[in-house]
Amino acid sequence: MNLRSPAFAILFAVSLIAAAGNMALQSVLPAIGREFRLSDTLVASAFAISALMWTFASPFWARLSDRIGRKKVILIGLSGFVVSMGGFGLAATSGLERWLGVGVAFVLMAMARTVYGVFGSAAPIASQAYVADRTSTEQRTQAMSLLASAQGLGTVIGPALAPFFVLPLVGLAGPMYAFALLGLVVLFVVWRRLPSGEVLRKPSASGHRDDAGKGLWKDPRVRDYLLYGLLTTGAQAINISVLGFHVIDELAGTGIAVREAQPFIGIAMLAGAAATLMAQWGLIPLLKLQPRELMRWGAALALLGNLMSVVAPGYYGAVIGYAVVSMGIGFARPGFTAGSSLSVGPLEQGAVAGLMMSLAGLSFLAPPVIGVALYELFEPAPFIANVVLLTAATALCFGSARLRAGPPDLPGRDETPSPETPPASQPGPEGNR
């Protein structure tokens, strides 16, 4: 597949719109919750439902795309995205305008997120498989990285555009309607323009799946990378989920109302996404850091960002702290994903990639709910909890013999990302696919 072809551009748009829509929703969700006068913890649980369903549904869509074809599964996933975003918008409008009781409206919002959790993983998984079917071994790393970078770009675009869609007639639900319409446009383009010619996929000689990599999660070669990844991505999930509420509360002291705080939330999320892209597009290639150094610097910077959130009150302290955390995760994620991949053989790459992807869903199950609950009890509490998690991650980098040594230096292998390698996607139940 030519990476400049219309087909690849369409697949890039599929990943871009999903990431942008979900980050736009994440940016307005705290304000909607405050308008509903609901518990912050209850609001955070809406995303936990999505992450749970995503984790369970992902293997099903991967298998189904093998049977019925990649394009059909992409269409199913995009349809789920459109229905979920539009349904969430309608439910939010019904509650904000008091057409329905707040409790009923919130239940409908949670159901809309459940729809995305079930169907949303179909499109990125099938898109990745579509590209893998049509690229050579030499092309594949660059193609997959470029496809993943669409999600990183979406995390910048979504929060940046969201405030512009908060319009008089639709209010805080506006971004959901806008991205539902954009998703519908991309759905039409996929249906009409994406080539549907299927690639023959040969089954194994035994007729069963290859067992290579079975039980890899407890293998000493990758176990510490997984633990590190769980600590760092769990901490970042807490930061993302608490950010909107934190910004609203910091601005409330200056007399800025909840709805007026929305552009400020978008700026904070944009700063974090920009810091991640700066780390992955600029600093990693420039400094030529290896997985071991990426993990050490990543955990340390994320730790510093959370300390800043504790000791530096005010809106600008919240934004700078979040940006430093995001830059740290921008180092950490390529570090533990590359390190784990380089630690196993060719036949185990699929299994280790699946383990890395599972971290996205796991990190957005309990940590956001716990983090927001801690925030309701005591404002600095989630950041203090993250300091504990990230101190453990930093200590693991130096205390684990495997992480201290880094992945084995196999002959002829270059571990340094090239300057042309785009960044990995942002985390989240919809990311890193």
Side-chain angles (χ1 to χ4, degrees), residues 52-299:
L52 179 64
M53 301 311 297
W54 180 288
T55 302
F56 284 120
S58 295
F60 169 78
W61 295 121
R63 292 192 296 268
L64 188 65
S65 73
D66 284 335
R67 295 202 302 270
I68 69 172
R70 313 304 191 195
K71 181 176 178 178
K72 291 178 181 177
V73 175
I74 292 172
L75 290 172
I76 291 171
L78 279 173
S79 299
F81 172 81
V82 171
V83 171
S84 173
M85 293 296 288
F88 197 101
L90 288 171
T93 298
S94 298
L96 292 169
E97 298 296 329
R98 298 302 186 260
W99 299 339
L100 295 173
V102 167
V104 175
F106 181 75
V107 169
L108 292 176
M109 289 163 58
M111 290 174 63
R113 286 306 300 172
T114 302
V115 169
Y116 185 76
V118 172
F119 292 97
S121 61
I125 286 174
S127 297
Q128 180 174 314
Y130 189 106
V131 172
D133 287 341
R134 292 162 175 79
T135 51
S136 65
T137 304
E138 293 75 18
Q139 284 182 306
R140 191 152 312 149
T141 298
Q142 184 181 2
M144 292 299 185
S145 297
L146 185 57
L147 188 65
S149 75
Q151 295 180 357
L153 185 59
T155 62
V156 176
I157 292 174
L161 290 181
F164 294 101
F165 296 131
V166 180
L167 302 171
L169 291 178
V170 292
L172 291 169
M176 278 73 85
Y177 295 132
F179 281 101
L181 288 173
L182 290 172
L184 195 59
V185 171
V186 175
L187 174 65
F188 179 79
V189 172
V190 170
W191 174 53
R192 295 290 296 171
R193 304 294 297 173
L194 185 67
S196 58
E198 290 302 320
V199 174
L200 180 63
R201 289 174 289 277
K202 296 181 181 180
S204 64
S206 65
H208 299 287
R209 288 185 173 188
D210 195 343
D211 286 335
K214 187 175 182 180
L216 193 61
W217 63 273
K218 54 187 177 182
D219 191 306
R221 293 174 298 168
V222 300
R223 184 177 56 212
D224 290 345
Y225 287 105
L226 286 171
L227 178 57
Y228 173 92
L230 193 59
L231 290 169
T232 53
T233 58
Q236 195 197 22
I238 291 175
N239 285 119
I240 291 173
S241 300
V242 168
L243 178 65
F245 302 111
H246 191 200
V247 169
I248 289 171
D249 290 336
E250 292 295 345
L251 292 175
T254 65
I256 296 177
V258 172
R259 292 200 180 200
E260 296 171 348
Q262 190 54 49
F264 296 92
I265 296 174
I267 290 170
M269 298 189 81
L270 179 62
T276 300
L277 292 178
M278 182 176 72
Q280 295 179 337
W281 267 343
L283 295 177
I284 292 176
L286 177 66
L287 300 176
K288 301 185 185 300
L289 298 175
Q290 306 300 322
R292 178 178 60 185
E293 286 73 31
L294 288 172
M295 292 171 67
R296 291 176 178 179
W297 279 105

Side-chain angles (χ1 to χ4, degrees), residues 224 228 292-300 303 390-406:
D224 290 345
Y228 173 92
R292 178 178 60 185
E293 286 73 31
L294 288 172
M295 292 171 67
R296 291 176 178 179
W297 279 105
L303 172 60
L390 293 165
T391 298
T394 305
L396 186 64
C397 290
F398 294 94
S400 164
R402 186 160 297 276
L403 299 190
R404 193 167 60 247

